[in-house]
Amino acid sequence: MIGLATGPGTTVTLCAVSVESVFPRLEPLLPRVSKPVQYVGGELNATIKDWDATTVRWALMYPDAYEVGLPNQGVMILYEILNEQPDVLAERTYSVWPDLEALMREHDVPQFTVDAHRPVGAFDVLGVSFATELGYTNLLTALDLAGIPLHAVDRTEDHPIVLAGGHAAFNPEPIADFLDAAVLGDGEEAVLEVTELIRSWKAEGRPGGREEILTRLAETGNVYVPRFYEVTYLSDGAIDEVRPTRDRVPARVVKRTTMDLDAWPYPKQPLVPLAESVHERMSVEIFRGCTRGCRFCQAGMITRPVRERSAEGIGAMVQQGIAATGFEEVGLLSLSSADHSEIAEVTKGLADRYEGTNTGLSLPSTRVDAFNVDLANELARNGRRSGLTFAPEGGSERIRRVINKMVSEEDLIRTVTTAYANGWRQVKLYFMCGLPTETDEDILQIAAMAKEVIRAGREASGNKDIRCTVSIGGFVPKPHTPFQWASQTDPDTIDARLRRLRAAVNEDRKLGRSIGMRYHDGKPSLIEGLLSRGDRRIGRVIERVWRQGGRFDGWTEHFSYYRWLDACADELPAFGVDIAWFTTRERTEHETLPWDHLDSGLDKEWLWADWRDALDEQEQDDCRWTPCFDCGVCPAMGTDIEIGPTGRPMLSITPVGKGSPVRNPSLSSGV
């Protein structure tokens, strides 16, 4: 029996642990680093299992700091699904800050899990969820600290299978050298299939070693193993061909799609962080996918078709999640939550259920054309009116036609006027800079729109104490979208436009003082674009940046634009290309793109036609309510759009006592 201290006042007893915990070596280092609580584990609803009682062991990583990684729904869902299997163990690991990294290297402490502080190198699988490409250097840090060879070809069957997932896995080519495999699409069923293949291979005595288990994974058609594909190039630097090098490996890898979300009501017991995190709430994904057709939005394209969770299923998840966590806010998540066909029933049912308690409801972002004041009032029934967030994305109606964001300025003004008239005092508007065909005038229209919002709000509310915050991000072209062929706008142009916008906002101080602006310069966006649409040649750049100290590139204080430029200048000329070739160059119709052999279900000819429609400023309707536009997903994936009404209403639940949500006192922090 071994007693393992996993957090303040928490001790977990492990039986017959054959893999040594690194905590005795880690603990003395924690007083010397910032936010040490993020490394100790012991969160409410965390799971620790007996190592020797399990057959397949997963280390799940979100390659960013604990405060960003712990709330991630994808990792949380897979963690729970895997740990429900009696012979499977899953633990979590996050990126360590540079201060702890230095001490770990000095004191020979390997990359560890926060659950039982086991060394990551001892697991069967290191599953890494990439929401953004700027986490690539953090992957290399984790591999190196874990003692896992950086390059997949140097690993033996004694090393974990390094398996990528998440949205960035739809083009894993820039990190192909470092990955053993990648899963495209939804992970709920995929991780169980991967687990079964590993379980069987191990039971058979590991025949054929690492090569054989990777081949079995590739044979499924849903797992991409980069080493089994050869890439050849043309003299101009473009890709000539990507072809499999094994008979048992398919030419194309297709995404997994989980259709019945009610059958997968995860997470059932969400993790509650010990340290402050970016989202202090319990979240429920109310539907997956989007058919709005925003041409810039990779998430909306690659998660098609729309699949709604029933009102009954949402209500059950909210009830169980609140009881398991004690959170006082419930986020109803999706790419466009107000588009759920039963959103009125869902919000009213939840507001009725939790009225008089401390539980509040929120939608992370609301489309202007899906908003109504009744919905907003239901969300704010418990007295919380923190602010409303809308995403017009483009400043002018012309650019909104280009990106297929079908929202008029009249719609926006009418919506925010209604909000201000009903007691809201804060509105946040999201935009992008650097969109295809964008001009200075398109960006300056953002200032005009924000001023009109303030004017209308003051008139509607009879109050000058209102605010409008304008938040602007740099546009990054993404794979599997109509904009995958677009030229990315260079940072100097973006920065110049943002300066003009700032000046335009401040021209009228009476209005400008009520308008806040938040934006980053264009440099990180260009590097994200390099990693987003890069191919295997970018792996050399990533490794050089990492060796020169690159870490946490998604954080302004750690990001170095010139480190990336220097690495590109050192590594890319040998291939006859440069950073502009991957970023600011417009692609041609028949060019082989690095991800063409990775099938998201979207027809490439349809994407090209939509790209041409964008250049002609032609809009496309939402196919949920109009005839099919032949994007290809439903027939290619054998799926279909699944929306309500389901005829399964939310069950009425009476809270136990006023002022506090229902709690289950039997829940504990360990299993």
Side-chain angles (χ1 to χ4, degrees):
M1 304 284 285
I2 298 176
L4 173 64
T6 60
T10 302
T11 299
V12 178
T13 300
L14 305 177
C15 300
V17 177
S18 58
V19 174
E20 180 184 0
S21 167
V22 306
F23 197 76
R25 285 182 283 160
L26 173 68
E27 186 176 25
L29 309 181
L30 297 183
R32 302 166 60 184
V33 302
S34 62
K35 301 181 181 178
V37 69
Q38 65 187 306
Y39 305 118
V40 301
E43 300 96 344
L44 181 65
N45 299 326
T47 301
I48 296 178
K49 300 175 78 170
D50 183 341
W51 182 273
D52 286 345
T54 56
T55 304
V56 182
R57 305 164 183 112
W58 287 71
L60 298 174
M61 181 179 191
Y62 191 87
D64 208 323
Y66 175 96
E67 62 199 81
V68 178
L70 186 132
N72 180 262
Q73 287 280 290
V75 171
M76 211 180 291
I77 288 169
L78 300 185
Y79 176 77
E80 194 166 316
I81 288 173
L82 289 167
N83 277 318
E84 282 186 348
Q85 310 305 307
D87 68 335
V88 179
L89 175 154
E91 298 186 9
R92 297 161 294 123
T93 186
Y94 306 103
S95 296
V96 299
W97 285 111
D99 57 355
L100 182 58
E101 179 193 345
L103 290 170
M104 288 168 65
R105 294 187 184 281
E106 180 183 347
H107 295 274
D108 196 28
V109 177
Q111 181 78 23
F112 56 88
T113 61
V114 297
D115 297 287
H117 297 93
R118 289 161 173 153
V120 166
F123 287 75
D124 296 306
V125 186
L126 172 58
V128 189
S129 179
F130 287 106
T132 171
E133 298 84 358
L134 292 174
Y136 288 163
T137 51
N138 283 354
L139 168 65
L140 300 195
T141 302
L143 292 176
D144 192 50
L145 285 172
I148 302 170
L150 288 188
H151 299 105
V153 296
D154 296 329
R155 296 172 197 149
T156 70
E157 64 182 82
D158 294 326
H159 296 115
I161 295 169
V162 181
L163 178 69
H167 290 177
F170 277 83
N171 177 28
E173 291 300 275
I175 51 173
D177 290 345
F178 317 119
L179 295 179
D180 292 301
V183 171
L184 276 62
D186 298 332
E188 289 93 338
E189 294 162 292
V191 293
L192 295 180
E193 183 173 319
V194 169
T195 297
E196 177 56 35
L197 288 170
I198 295 172
R199 180 192 289 120
S200 299
W201 173 71
K202 292 178 76 173
E204 295 167 17
R206 306 185 183 220
R210 194 177 191 85
E211 187 90 355
E212 174 62 18
I213 184 56
L214 291 176
T215 302
R216 293 185 187 186
L217 291 171
E219 279 182 313
T220 67
N222 301 123
V223 180
Y224 176 51
V225 180
R227 71 168 69 182
F228 295 156
Y229 294 80
E230 180 183 55
V231 183
T232 55
Y233 301 92
L234 300 170
S235 59
D236 64 355
I239 293 173
D240 178 28
E241 185 182 19
V242 179
R243 63 180 184 87
T245 58
R246 302 286 192 282
D247 292 338
R248 294 163 58 187
V249 174
R252 292 177 66 79
V253 180
V254 299
K255 75 171 182 179
R256 291 295 297 254
T257 303
T258 299
M259 291 304 299
D260 185 0
L261 294 189
D262 279 342
W264 299 89
Y266 296 91
K268 299 173 183 175
Q269 295 189 20
L271 293 163
V272 180
L274 290 179
E276 182 180 358
S277 65
V278 293
H279 298 303
E280 298 286 344
R281 65 187 179 206
M282 194 278 291
S283 299
V284 172
E285 183 185 31
I286 64 174
F287 73 88
R288 193 172 294 178
C290 185
T291 47
R292 286 283 191 165
C294 298
R295 293 171 174 133
F296 58 85
C297 182
Q298 184 190 47
M301 293 290 172
I302 64 177
T303 60
R304 292 183 175 199
V306 167
R307 292 144 286 154
E308 290 187 352
R309 209 180 292 276
S310 68
E312 179 188 42
I314 294 167
M317 288 186 68
V318 170
Q319 179 192 359
Q320 184 169 12
I322 289 175
T325 63
F327 277 124
E328 294 184 348
E329 181 182 346
V330 178
L332 304 177
L333 303 186
S334 74
L335 294 174
S336 183
S337 295
D339 283 341
H340 191 289
S341 62
E342 297 177 303
I343 191 64
E345 293 86 348
V346 168
T347 52
K348 184 179 186 307
L350 292 174
D352 286 345
R353 178 185 294 181
Y354 297 107
E355 186 170 13
T357 73
N358 292 329
T359 302
L361 306 174
S362 67
L363 298 183
S365 180
T366 308
R367 285 185 63 99
V368 169
D369 50 356
F371 173 87
N372 65 73
V373 74
D374 293 333
L375 171 63
N377 282 331
E378 294 291 3
L379 294 170
R381 197 192 295 180
N382 271 352
R384 299 183 184 185
R385 290 179 182 243
S386 56
L388 294 170
T389 300
F390 302 103
E393 307 292 0
S396 68
E397 292 202 24
R398 185 198 73 81
I399 202 69
R400 289 195 294 276
R401 288 195 298 271
V402 170
I403 65 177
N404 206 45
K405 192 80 173 188
M406 295 174 286
V407 176
S408 70
E409 185 166 347
E410 289 75 17
D411 288 337
L412 176 68
I413 299 304
R414 182 168 55 250
T415 297
V416 298
T417 298
T418 302
Y420 285 129
N422 282 270
W424 272 268
R425 293 291 175 264
Q426 170 73 35
V427 169
K428 182 182 292 185
L429 303 177
Y430 280 119
F431 297 91
M432 284 186 289
C433 183
L435 290 162
T437 78
E438 181 184 275
T439 65
D440 288 1
E441 184 57 31
D442 293 316
I443 290 296
L444 293 176
Q445 284 297 308
I446 296 174
M449 181 184 292
K451 290 175 182 178
E452 189 57 35
V453 164
I454 296 298
R455 289 192 193 97
R458 288 176 176 176
E459 182 178 349
S461 66
N463 191 333
K464 289 191 174 183
D465 185 24
I466 62 173
R467 294 281 298 170
C468 173
T469 300
V470 172
S471 183
I472 307 172
F475 166 67
V476 178
K478 293 286 185 176
H480 306 281
T481 71
F483 288 168
Q484 64 185 358
W485 289 277
S487 168
Q488 187 170 359
T489 305
D490 66 90
D492 289 342
T493 299
I494 287 180
D495 294 347
R497 286 176 181 165
L498 291 176
R499 285 194 297 270
R500 294 188 185 102
L501 175 60
R502 167 68 78 179
V505 167
N506 290 334
E507 279 177 358
D508 185 339
R509 293 303 302 160
K510 292 182 179 179
L511 296 172
R513 67 189 179 194
S514 296
I515 302 171
M517 276 190 64
R518 297 178 181 175
Y519 59 86
H520 297 291
D521 63 45
K523 296 179 178 65
S525 297
L526 190 77
I527 301 308
E528 185 180 343
L530 169 73
L531 300 175
S532 171
R533 294 192 293 173
D535 56 40
R536 295 188 181 188
R537 293 170 290 190
I538 298 301
R540 298 266 295 270
V541 175
I542 296 169
E543 185 172 345
R544 179 175 283 264
V545 166
W546 174 76
R547 292 191 182 280
Q548 293 178 346
R551 307 287 191 275
F552 289 95
D553 288 291
W555 295 70
T556 303
E557 62 267 38
H558 294 282
F559 174 77
S560 170
Y561 179 62
Y562 296 103
R563 182 160 50 208
W564 282 96
L565 288 188
D566 290 345
C568 288
D570 289 337
E571 297 292 348
L572 295 181
F575 302 113
V577 293
D578 58 14
I579 188 172
W581 196 90
F582 289 102
T583 55
T584 57
R585 175 182 67 93
E586 185 171 320
R587 276 68 169 164
T588 59
E589 178 179 3
H590 299 294
E591 180 175 338
T592 299
L593 303 174
W595 51 89
D596 277 350
H597 58 299
L598 305 175
D599 191 353
S600 64
L602 295 159
D603 183 78
K604 190 176 180 181
E605 291 181 0
W606 177 83
L607 287 171
W608 176 262
D610 205 36
W611 166 232
R612 305 311 297 176
D613 284 346
L615 297 179
D616 291 338
E617 301 173 19
Q618 297 295 312
E619 298 172 338
Q620 186 172 107
D621 290 331
D622 185 338
C623 68
R624 262 177 294 191
W625 322 115
T626 56
C628 175
F629 291 107
D630 295 322
C631 75
V633 169
C634 292
M637 300 287 112
T639 59
D640 203 355
I641 293 171
E642 293 188 354
I643 60 173
T646 63
R648 296 161 56 191
M650 187 180 301
L651 299 178
S652 177
I653 304 290
T654 302
V656 179
K658 294 287 186 179
S660 61
V662 179
R663 292 297 306 272
N664 183 347
S666 67
L667 292 170
S668 62
S669 61
V671 176

